[in-house]
Amino acid sequence: MSYLRRDLIEPRVYQEVIYAKCKERNCLVVLPTGLGKTLIAMLIADYRLSKYGGKALMLAPTKPLALQHAESFRRLFALPPEKINVLTGELPPEKRVEVWRRSVVITATPQTVENDVLTGRISLEDVVLLVIDEAHRAVGSYSYVFIAREYLKTAKHPLVLGLTASPGSDEERIREVIGNLGIEHVEVRTESSPDVRPYVQGIAFEWVRVELPEIYKEVRKLLREMLKESLKPLAHFKLVSTYSPDISKREVLQAGAKINQEVAKGNYELGRLRLHQAKAVKLLHAIELLETQGLTALSSYLKKLREDRRTKSSRQLMEDPRMRKVIYLLVQARESGVDHPKMEKLKELIGKQLERKPDSKIIVFTNYRDTGRKIVEELKAMGVSAERFIGQASRANDRGMSQREQKEILERFSRAEFNVLVATSVGEEGLDVPEVDLVVFYEPVPSAIRSIQRRGRTGRHRPGRVVILMARGTRDEAYYWSSKRKERGMFDAIKRIARELEKSKPRVKKAEIREKTPESVEMGKGKIAPLDAFLKLKREEGKGLKDVEKAEGVKETSQETKELPTKPIFVRRPKGIVVYVDSRELRSGVPKHLKELGAEVEVRTLDVADYVVSEEVGIERKSANDFIQSIIDGRLFDQVERLKRAYEKPVIIIEGELYGIRNVHPNAIRGAITAVTLDWGVPILFSRTKEETAGFIYLMAKREQEERKKEVRIRSEKKALTLAERQRLIVEGLPNVSATLAKRLLRHFGNVERVFTATEEELKEVGGIGEKKAREIRKVVTAPYVEDEG
């Protein structure tokens, strides 16, 4: 049975070739924007669903993009509309479960699917194709990584298809994407590939340089002087390599991390340099706003610094006579109507484009919301119809856009109800807006990925034009050349990696195993166990080496094949270890690492503790920042008291670098830790990462549940108890009767009444009850009730 309506499509040769090569193995497809990656996904989805049944799941990083993919499937798939659905966080969890159950094709945001897999609401077992759009995001702790691992571990017929126009900013990042998605094969096409070239519409690039006016140069000179002064003490102590104002922001931020590390070691002398580092970061940002955005953006930022009376660095900057002169110059510029020359150039470009073609569609990209608002105001003032397109998060005085509002704006733009869409980064990835005539970068971006994504908004269906505005002699120019250099390196790297994968493919079918076990918890990533570890695991299960080799199709591996993972074998761990997790902890990333370690994660709203691993052990996880904040606002000891009351063996885990991150003296932190440990008797464990935190929790759960046979029971949980839970609770009220023993007693005697009427001899027949325990139980049951005095 075929789902795809072939009468409505005519796949291009390169799409057919990619489909043929990727329908049976995990593939990463690198294809310029606008050349039909979604159709390739549909061709493969049609093949997989026809062959295996089940579901196809397509993930996209934003809600508008997920909606767009669903509409494409509805248009081209011969399925009832109710079988093709979108899952986002806007749907309540119960509704998502129902939608998942009835769907054949699902498009979704990854965070939603991650949460639903973690909480056990959905299973990826019958998903026969996982499509990961904008696959370059599959790095670090992004949701794509967890979903791909769970999918490859649990699906009956797994296949991963990664889609992107820009695979990664450097070779290391590309290799991480390949490993995280279990990619076996890479298909790369560029605008110059012979089979793609006939379909690529010409994109004309223009670099428009503008000259900063004299008043800008004067303001810039003052800010650079102040920056140089703040950098000198940092350079003196070798925290930065130079005190030149052209230093990168990254180096100055890294200096802050170095200062924190030194303070943590007790080197308080360096702590005073924090003030200089904070001032340098703020000045760098001020200069960047001035150079790339304009005087209005700089004025807004300085206003925020002036209102920030609590921060010493902000106070000192605003009290500096040179900053007072800067503010005077800004007032002068505003009165004389001077703003960034880019604004005038932008208005001129848009005016000429609309003069030539009044129904033109134009997208302007800017890094800053404030600049976006200003551009819209300026364009409307000259009679041009323009709208802003921003993300969902709200800022101080700037409400974000809902999913519905984003969709409406894009639909109106597609229908040519207005000419200019002014977008922040949310508009960069994947959104299909047909026939855009002009794309303007209000400022270059130092990222190859973002640069490719932005210019991909034009030239999709007809020749387009990209204009990059740059202020001469500023970091605008540096950012532009940086992105060009990175882009060249990116495509060289992906082609090299594709060749390596092809070379390794004939030599071994399944070369490596990715398995995370408690023993493999290190700083962040699960080990990739070589083949011999897998064979050893199988031997321990009682299989002979020959049987394993026969069953797995194993051949000898060479060093060459170990360089890149081909399709990994994700070994399923036996279920059984249960960890109760507070629902508010899902964002921390720890629960998904627990699941990868093999734990069954049960998500609840817990009154006390963040994680519960047995009836006796409740664990509170605190980030270093939260721990310090709880000392400042006095919450800490109240939380410790509640934890201690609820659990016999409470534990606190502090995650992250504790010293030097806040303006709190290390002795105050040490005093709080000492009080919690000695006065309250609550042990504190220190973890560097969320992976290490998950490792601690898993090992505690394993120890409690497997070695000590403890029941997992949540204290103070506000929910209606089942009859069996009530019966166990009553029996647990007897002296020295744990949850495990209560279960044993009820199984032995059949009901609560028989437990309470049993003789000492009958009680001793139950494992775990000796003479002393039986005597104490009978005493509690038979002793006359006497009212406590007082």
Side-chain angles (χ1 to χ4, degrees):
M1 176 188 173
S2 179
Y3 294 91
L4 190 59
R5 297 185 58 186
R6 298 262 175 179
D7 56 313
L8 297 180
I9 61 162
E10 196 176 321
R12 296 163 179 174
V13 173
Y14 66 86
Q15 290 171 325
E16 292 278 21
V17 169
I18 293 170
Y19 156 69
K21 289 188 176 180
C22 296
K23 65 182 183 181
E24 293 286 7
R25 54 183 170 171
N26 296 344
C27 274
L28 178 67
V29 175
V30 181
L31 189 64
T33 303
L35 289 174
K37 290 188 287 289
T38 310
L39 182 57
I40 294 167
M42 287 184 183
L43 288 164
I44 297 173
D46 177 43
Y47 169 78
R48 300 289 293 181
L49 290 168
S50 303
K51 183 175 180 180
Y52 298 108
K55 301 179 191 296
L57 172 62
M58 186 166 189
L59 300 176
T62 64
K63 291 174 186 178
L65 196 45
L67 285 164
Q68 189 175 288
H69 288 320
E71 282 160 14
S72 300
F73 270 100
R74 287 186 189 121
R75 193 169 63 250
L76 295 177
F77 258 49
L79 275 171
E82 66 272 13
K83 296 286 184 187
I84 301 171
N85 288 292
V86 184
L87 286 185
T88 71
E90 290 194 356
L91 271 179
E94 303 75 28
K95 181 78 173 161
R96 292 202 300 269
V97 172
E98 174 55 31
V99 167
W100 178 270
R101 189 188 58 74
R102 69 166 186 259
S103 299
V104 173
V105 174
I106 301 124
T107 67
T109 49
Q111 296 81 3
T112 308
V113 172
E114 178 182 84
N115 279 348
D116 286 348
V117 168
L118 266 174
T119 54
R121 282 191 280 266
I122 64 172
S123 165
L124 301 174
E125 194 176 359
D126 62 343
V127 173
V128 296
L129 174 65
L130 174 65
V131 183
I132 294 185
D133 197 16
E134 311 299 351
H136 53 271
R137 287 173 170 254
V139 291
S141 58
Y142 192 69
S143 301
Y144 280 168
V145 179
F146 170 75
I147 294 167
R149 284 180 185 159
E150 281 300 303
Y151 174 64
L152 289 166
K153 207 160 46 172
T154 59
K156 287 184 216 158
H157 304 290
L159 186 80
V160 174
L161 176 67
L163 305 173
T164 184
S166 43
S169 52
D170 55 52
E171 186 166 336
E172 188 182 346
R173 194 177 170 99
I174 296 168
R175 287 182 184 275
E176 191 181 345
V177 170
I178 298 272
N180 286 339
L181 300 182
I183 297 298
E184 303 167 89
H185 176 74
V186 178
E187 282 289 316
V188 188
R189 300 290 189 284
T190 64
E191 284 95 342
S192 56
S193 299
D195 54 352
V196 165
R197 201 182 301 132
Y199 304 100
V200 176
Q201 300 293 339
I203 299 178
F205 284 90
E206 295 171 36
W207 300 273
V208 175
R209 288 175 173 81
V210 296
E211 199 69 51
L212 292 178
E214 283 309 311
I215 199 161
Y216 266 68
K217 291 176 182 174
E218 206 174 332
V219 169
R220 187 167 174 255
K221 186 182 172 194
L222 289 164
L223 292 174
R224 284 168 67 89
E225 261 178 40
M226 292 169 71
L227 175 59
K228 192 174 178 181
E229 203 173 275
S230 293
L231 289 169
K232 271 186 179 175
L234 301 178
H236 177 72
F237 282 92
K238 305 286 191 288
L239 292 166
V240 293
S241 59
T242 176
Y243 54 81
S244 160
D246 296 314
I247 193 170
S248 74
K249 194 187 279 189
R250 177 184 287 183
E251 191 177 346
V252 180
L253 290 170
Q254 285 170 345
K258 288 177 192 170
I259 293 167
N260 290 341
Q261 286 163 10
E262 287 301 314
V263 170
K265 292 174 189 170
N267 186 355
Y268 304 128
E269 183 65 20
L270 275 184
R272 64 187 178 81
L273 295 175
R274 264 206 215 104
L275 178 64
H276 298 289
Q277 188 265 348
K279 283 161 70 173
V281 169
K282 287 170 180 174
L283 286 164
L284 274 167
H285 186 62
I287 292 166
E288 184 174 334
L289 286 174
L290 173 75
E291 291 181 347
T292 68
Q293 306 303 303
L295 297 175
T296 307
L298 177 60
S299 296
S300 298
Y301 180 60
L302 295 183
K303 183 170 180 278
K304 283 178 196 166
L305 292 186
R306 192 167 58 246
E307 289 166 358
D308 180 17
R309 301 304 301 165
R310 291 181 306 164
T311 310
K312 193 174 180 181
S313 57
S314 298
R315 282 201 313 272
Q316 283 198 7
L317 282 176
M318 299 317 289
E319 287 164 5
D320 190 304
R322 288 165 295 189
M323 188 61 88
R324 287 177 186 158
K325 189 173 180 186
V326 163
I327 291 165
Y328 168 73
L329 288 168
L330 291 176
V331 171
Q332 248 192 338
R334 187 165 62 241
E335 285 172 356
S336 55
V338 175
D339 206 332
H340 204 293
K342 280 201 233 176
M343 188 66 78
E344 291 310 310
K345 182 55 72 176
L346 175 69
K347 284 152 68 173
E348 183 189 316
L349 281 166
I350 289 172
K352 283 181 179 173
Q353 176 68 36
L354 291 173
E355 208 174 284
R356 274 199 308 273
K357 184 172 179 282
D359 62 344
S360 288
K361 287 199 189 107
I362 301 163
I363 299 182
V364 179
F365 283 110
T366 177
N367 286 338
Y368 297 93
R369 279 190 179 189
D370 288 347
T371 304
R373 188 193 291 109
K374 174 100 175 141
I375 290 169
V376 169
E377 286 168 7
E378 293 279 338
L379 291 176
K380 283 183 174 176
M382 60 184 271
V384 174
S385 54
E387 297 285 350
R388 244 187 356 153
F389 185 74
I390 59 174
Q392 293 180 25
S394 292
R395 304 284 185 264
N397 299 310
D398 192 5
R399 191 179 66 82
M401 276 186 169
S402 69
Q403 180 184 331
R404 184 180 53 77
E405 288 171 325
Q406 288 177 334
K407 190 174 178 229
E408 276 175 16
I409 287 278
L410 290 175
E411 284 173 353
R412 287 178 53 223
F413 187 52
S414 293
R415 293 195 300 264
E417 288 183 21
F418 60 92
N419 295 103
V420 185
L421 186 74
V422 181
T424 53
S425 58
V426 74
E428 288 172 5
E429 286 185 315
L431 294 178
D432 187 14
V433 182
E435 300 178 350
V436 173
D437 303 276
L438 171 65
V439 170
V440 182
F441 288 23
Y442 194 75
E443 63 280 295
V445 282
S447 156
I449 293 173
R450 289 181 63 195
S451 184
I452 289 168
Q453 296 290 349
R454 281 184 171 192
R455 68 171 189 258
R457 300 310 106 215
T458 189
R460 294 167 80 100
H461 305 283
R462 66 181 185 209
R465 181 178 171 217
V466 174
V467 175
I468 300 158
L469 298 176
M470 289 190 280
R472 200 184 300 279
T474 69
R475 59 201 66 216
D476 265 355
E477 285 191 317
Y479 283 170
Y480 171 71
W481 293 113
S482 167
S483 76
K484 291 301 287 180
R485 189 182 65 253
K486 286 176 184 172
E487 190 179 327
R488 276 197 303 274
M490 178 171 70
F491 281 105
D492 288 345
I494 190 66
K495 285 174 182 174
R496 187 163 55 249
I497 291 167
R499 285 195 297 271
E500 282 178 34
L501 281 170
E502 282 306 296
K503 217 185 287 182
S504 68
K505 186 182 61 179
R507 303 184 68 91
V508 62
K509 182 88 172 171
K510 293 176 178 177
E512 291 181 339
I513 309 153
R514 180 182 305 254
E515 180 194 8
K516 290 187 82 169
T517 66
E519 292 75 27
S520 70
V521 174
E522 291 189 348
M523 290 303 95
K525 290 174 186 160
K527 287 180 178 175
I528 299 179
L531 192 61
D532 55 2
F534 180 57
L535 296 177
K536 183 171 180 287
L537 183 82
K538 290 290 189 187
R539 279 199 295 273
E540 286 169 0
E541 289 174 359
K543 288 189 179 182
L545 179 61
K546 285 180 182 173
D547 293 338
V548 173
E549 290 175 341
K550 189 176 174 185
E552 300 299 336
V554 172
K555 295 177 185 171
E556 189 177 336
T557 58
S558 69
Q559 189 58 38
E560 186 182 17
T561 64
K562 290 184 181 180
E563 286 176 14
L564 269 165
T566 59
K567 188 172 184 177
I569 307 161
F570 287 81
V571 181
R572 295 189 192 215
R573 295 189 55 79
K575 299 240 176 182
I577 301 298
V578 179
V579 179
Y580 281 96
V581 177
D582 184 68
S583 56
R584 288 154 292 201
E585 271 293 294
L586 285 175
R587 289 183 183 177
S588 72
V590 172
K592 65 182 175 187
H593 290 294
L594 281 168
K595 195 164 178 72
E596 286 173 357
L597 291 170
E600 288 186 59
V601 174
E602 295 284 344
V603 179
R604 300 282 189 277
T605 300
L606 303 181
D607 297 331
V608 183
D610 294 319
Y611 300 87
V612 176
V613 299
S614 78
E615 62 172 345
E616 294 178 350
V617 180
I619 302 158
E620 183 82 19
R621 183 197 75 90
K622 282 190 173 294
S623 68
N625 196 53
D626 183 40
F627 183 76
I628 292 169
Q629 188 57 45
S630 66
I631 296 171
I632 295 167
D633 60 26
R635 284 181 296 122
L636 178 63
F637 297 117
D638 178 53
Q639 289 172 337
V640 172
E641 185 183 9
R642 291 177 68 231
L643 191 64
K644 181 82 174 168
R645 270 206 312 264
Y647 292 95
E648 200 175 309
K649 295 175 183 172
V651 177
I652 292 173
I653 298 178
I654 299 174
E655 186 184 293
E657 181 60 56
L658 192 56
Y659 297 99
I661 59 166
R662 296 283 291 274
N663 200 15
V664 174
H665 198 281
N667 284 346
I669 298 169
R670 292 184 190 117
I673 292 169
T674 304
V676 171
T677 310
L678 297 182
D679 299 348
W680 295 91
V682 177
I684 295 178
L685 301 176
F686 294 92
S687 153
R688 282 167 285 184
T689 63
K690 52 184 173 288
E691 292 90 340
E692 194 175 6
T693 301
F696 273 131
I697 295 167
Y698 184 85
L699 287 171
M700 282 188 263
K702 192 174 168 65
R703 183 174 179 274
E704 287 291 293
Q705 294 169 37
E706 283 187 359
E707 295 171 27
R708 306 187 67 219
K709 309 294 182 193
K710 296 285 183 182
E711 290 286 321
V712 186
R713 189 161 70 81
I714 301 167
R715 308 282 178 137
S716 307
E717 190 177 13
K718 294 173 184 172
K719 65 167 188 165
L721 297 174
T722 64
L723 178 60
E725 285 171 329
R726 287 179 183 180
Q727 289 170 322
R728 286 199 295 270
L729 203 59
I730 291 167
V731 176
E732 279 176 55
L734 295 170
N736 301 311
V737 174
S738 66
T740 306
L741 192 50
K743 226 180 210 179
R744 215 176 288 153
L745 282 162
L746 284 163
R747 272 201 296 261
H748 183 85
F749 290 109
N751 60 41
V752 174
E753 184 181 14
R754 282 287 294 117
V755 173
F756 278 72
T757 57
T759 64
E760 281 186 35
E761 292 306 311
E762 287 173 328
L763 286 168
K764 283 193 285 184
E765 289 171 14
V766 179
I769 296 186
E771 193 172 327
K772 184 182 174 187
K773 201 175 278 188
R775 191 166 55 248
E776 286 178 357
I777 290 170
R778 289 302 300 154
K779 183 181 175 184
V780 167
V781 171
T782 58
Y785 174 67
V786 178
E787 195 79 47
D788 292 333
E789 288 183 11

